Amino acid sequence: MSSSPAIAATALVGQSVGARKIEDGAAATRIAAEWALIWMTGFGAILFLFAPQVLRLFTDDVAVASAGVDALRVMAFSMPPLAIVFVAAGGLRGTGNTRIPLVIFGGGLWAITGAAALIVLTIGGGLIAVWAMFVIGTPVMAWLMVRSFRSAVRDFRFYE
């Protein structure tokens, strides 16, 4: 999963690493993260405000659409942290590190899935509980990804 700002971060960080100007790559990643945050927050707001209309684009079944409205609204809150996850992962890939984004994103999704299954099986909550776990888990993934990117930038500074 990727986005245009994440791809830009990957390319610009890679160029800055090659030019031995890691600070330029870090700055480009910050700018890409700001733009991704703006766009993904806006998209989340659209999903939240127009959830019934969005769901009707995918199904004519009124029961399915009404069941998904609240879940889509909960899921909309995961958009801002996902923006950070994608861009920071792109920045990490630009440093040549593809393992950490895989571990954080893959491990995060598996942890969220496990937590969601546990919550649904023990206390219920259905689809809303599943997406609530995603809303809780994505900021953790974002924090880990940003922390890893900052560490990679510090390591490159050390070697310059």
Side-chain angles (χ1 to χ4, degrees):
M1 205 180 271
S2 193
S3 65
S4 294
I7 294 167
T10 302
L12 293 171
V13 170
Q15 283 182 329
S16 72
V17 166
R20 301 248 187 249
K21 296 180 179 181
I22 191 64
E23 219 27 72
D24 291 350
T29 302
R30 280 190 295 277
I31 293 167
E34 289 170 6
W35 279 104
L37 197 56
I38 290 167
W39 282 102
M40 293 284 278
T41 300
F43 185 66
I46 289 168
L47 288 177
F48 186 86
L49 295 171
F50 300 105
Q53 293 84 352
V54 169
L55 285 167
R56 277 193 231 117
L57 293 172
F58 297 99
T59 183
D60 293 331
D61 189 329
V62 176
V64 171
S66 65
V69 167
D70 290 335
L72 191 58
R73 286 186 171 143
V74 170
M75 188 271 306
F77 287 98
S78 69
M79 292 293 140
L82 273 176
I84 302 303
V85 168
F86 292 153
V87 174
L92 273 166
R93 286 190 297 272
T95 67
N97 189 334
T98 57
R99 186 178 155 273
I100 288 179
L102 172 67
V103 169
I104 292 172
F105 197 73
L109 289 179
W110 278 108
I112 289 166
T113 302
L118 186 63
I119 294 294
V120 169
L121 292 173
T122 57
I123 61 174
L127 194 54
I128 293 171
V130 171
W131 282 109
M133 291 299 100
F134 200 75
V135 170
I136 291 167
T138 51
V140 174
M141 290 191 309
W143 178 77
L144 289 169
M145 209 71 81
V146 167
R147 185 175 171 199
S148 297
F149 178 69
R150 287 182 178 160
S151 177
V153 168
R154 266 193 311 276
D155 289 347
F156 271 99
R157 279 193 208 128
F158 178 74
Y159 292 113
E160 288 184 338

